Every structure is written in structure tokens, then in C-alpha cells.
Amino acid sequence: MGVQGLNAGDSVSPEETRRLASLVESLGYRSWWAVEHVVLPSPRVDASPADPDTPMLDPLVGLGFVAGVTSRLELGTGIVILPQRNPVVLAKEVATLDVLSGGRFTLGVGTGYLEPEFAALGVPFADRGRRTDEYIDAMRALWHMPSPEFSGKYVSFSGVDAHPRPASVRVAVGGASDAALRRALTRANAWLGIGSPAETAANLKRLRRLSAITSRPDSLGALEINIIATVPLDASVVREYEDLGVSQLITYPGGSDLPVDEVLEKTIGLVQ
């Protein structure tokens, strides 16, 4: 079981982040996932997930803090909007976080969907999917090639190196479009989905269909299925997700009217 979204809203202070991270780890949760939006449209538009004045910590900086106050909790971005980032700089940041956390980090990535955010960053919106594919490949070259080099449309490098190398960084791909599912199959260790059991079942059916016609590198191993739940959880709902083959269920404690502590204790009790 994992938790998501505690790097936003009322829990962004150092005292509250430290307290909640310690609580999550002590309760036996497996992972802590941080969300990302560099900027939000103001005034808010329908597609935006939050009001423009919602506090939201940078996920990598926030996870560095969480890594320092925990020892076992796995850390992940759910997600980084990859085409908005410089992949060479991000590869260094990811390697740093993975090394300092003792190999506890998963880089969750997505293409993004808020055009005003892309415009503010000066990044083209139309080619964000192609950039995402290329950036994953470029970062893997920096992490794993003995003499890193890469030549693409959006990023190219050779005659360089970057250390320290990450201990065991994994990549998770978020999204439910056919393009995102193919990206997970061909480039990721895990798929990070979102939805109810019924929505998850439909998406996994599409994933299986695409996997039959998509070549997956052996080096990636079996695709882990991580799902962010969008419905209230009880024991029967958790079993529905488990029966679908979900590897890890992730909850958003801030989405309830109950106090965060109460949601965390109640949710982890469903799987223990």
C-alpha cells in the first residue's frame, strides 16, 4: 500500500511533512508518492486538479526531505511531467536522490495535460509524448551506459559522463491512453494507473491487448501494476483491486473529509 499527494495542500510544512512521513512509515506503508505541477492556471480551468493558490512542493526536493526522515519507505514521483524537464539535469537529480535514499526511488513520469503550464515553461505542448519517450531513453543512457551517448531530435550528447550512478532507480509511466500504455510496456518497470476497480479492469484489458502486439525488453522484467484508487476503500474494494492483479494500491489521504491520520490508519488496516 502506498500514499500519494502529501506534498500538497495543508501538509507542506517541514514539521507536518516530517510527522506524516514518520507516521506513514511506522504504520507499515510501502511507499510515498509526490505529485507535481510547476504552475497552475489562474484562474482555475476545468482540467486543473487544484486551485492556483494550492501549495505544492517540488516532488524531488520534497522527496529528498522525506528520504532524510525515513529509512524504509519507498519514494516515488506520481508523476513528474517529464517533457517539461531537462532530461540531463533530471537524470542527475534522480541519481542523487536514489543514491542518498539507498536505492528507494522510483521515477514516475507522465506527459502532462495542462497547456497553460507548458506555455509558462516555454515547452511545446503538441510533441510532449515524443519528448517523453526520448527523455526516458536519454536518461537511461546516462544512468547505465559505460560511456553515455544519445542522439535524438530533442536531446543529444556524447563525450560526457555523470556520476554517481543510481543504485537501482526504476521508471514508472502514468496515463491510460494507448500511447501511455505502450510507453509503459516498452520503457518502464511499472505502470502507474488511476481509477476505480471497474476503470482499472478496463485499462488492464487494453494493456493486455497492447502487450500482445508490443515487444517488451527483457531487461525491464515483468510490468508492475500500481493503481491510485479513486473510490473509498474497504476490505471488499481492496480485494477487487487485488483480484485484478494490482501489485500496489495507492491511496490519497487528502481526498477525504476525515483527518489524514485517521485515513492513514484505517486504510493500512485493510491490508494487514
Side-chain angles (χ1 to χ4, degrees):
M1 181 72 74
V3 298
Q4 187 207 38
L6 293 178
N7 66 312
D10 296 334
S11 56
V12 300
S13 71
E15 297 80 14
E16 189 67 354
T17 300
R18 182 183 296 108
R19 187 187 73 82
L20 286 175
S22 298
L23 175 63
V24 167
E25 184 168 66
S26 68
L27 287 172
Y29 279 86
R30 170 181 167 182
S31 59
W32 172 294
W33 298 80
V35 298
E36 171 173 71
H37 281 288
V38 178
V39 295
L40 290 166
S42 182
R44 184 175 181 173
V45 298
D46 288 343
S48 182
D51 291 328
D53 60 351
T54 301
M56 192 174 300
L57 301 174
D58 176 88
L60 294 171
V61 176
L63 287 172
F65 183 92
V66 173
V69 299
T70 59
S71 59
R72 301 181 306 278
L73 200 60
E74 295 177 16
L75 312 168
T77 52
I79 46 76
V80 158
I81 305 171
L82 186 52
Q84 295 178 356
R85 299 272 185 152
N86 180 303
V88 177
V89 176
L90 181 59
K92 171 64 77 172
E93 294 170 334
V94 167
T96 300
L97 180 52
D98 192 63
V99 168
L100 291 179
S101 68
R104 290 188 277 151
F105 183 60
T106 294
L107 176 65
V109 303
T111 60
Y113 58 92
L114 289 176
E115 193 164 2
E117 186 175 22
F118 280 77
L121 290 161
V123 176
F125 186 73
D127 62 359
R128 64 195 187 282
R130 292 187 294 273
R131 284 181 183 271
T132 297
D133 290 341
E134 191 170 298
Y135 287 6
I136 293 172
D137 295 344
M139 289 190 296
R140 286 196 183 278
L142 284 164
W143 294 332
H144 302 304
M145 290 181 67
S147 299
E149 61 178 347
F150 188 84
S151 179
K153 180 177 179 180
Y154 305 106
V155 57
S156 296
F157 52 80
S158 63
V160 297
D161 211 337
H163 290 265
R165 299 294 179 87
S168 58
V169 66
R170 292 160 49 83
V171 174
V173 164
S177 67
D178 281 0
L181 296 179
R182 281 192 294 268
R183 185 173 298 118
L185 287 167
T186 58
R187 289 179 165 85
N189 305 100
W191 174 57
L192 184 59
I194 180 170
S196 66
E199 291 166 331
T200 299
N203 286 330
L204 290 176
K205 182 177 180 180
R206 291 169 48 235
L207 184 66
R208 288 191 293 270
R209 174 178 58 82
L210 288 168
S211 68
I213 57 174
T214 303
S215 178
R216 178 171 173 81
D218 292 339
S219 60
L220 294 175
L223 184 69
E224 183 175 298
I225 306 299
N226 297 334
I227 300 295
I228 301 164
T230 56
V231 295
L233 296 177
D234 58 31
S236 64
V237 174
V238 170
R239 281 195 298 273
E240 286 186 67
Y241 282 109
E242 290 175 343
D243 290 344
L244 291 171
V246 173
S247 309
Q248 181 176 192
L249 190 59
I250 301 167
T251 185
Y252 171 48
S256 170
D257 293 332
L258 298 174
V260 170
D261 292 37
E262 186 175 335
V263 176
L264 289 170
E265 293 175 6
K266 178 181 178 181
T267 302
I268 196 63
L270 298 173
V271 296
Q272 291 181 335

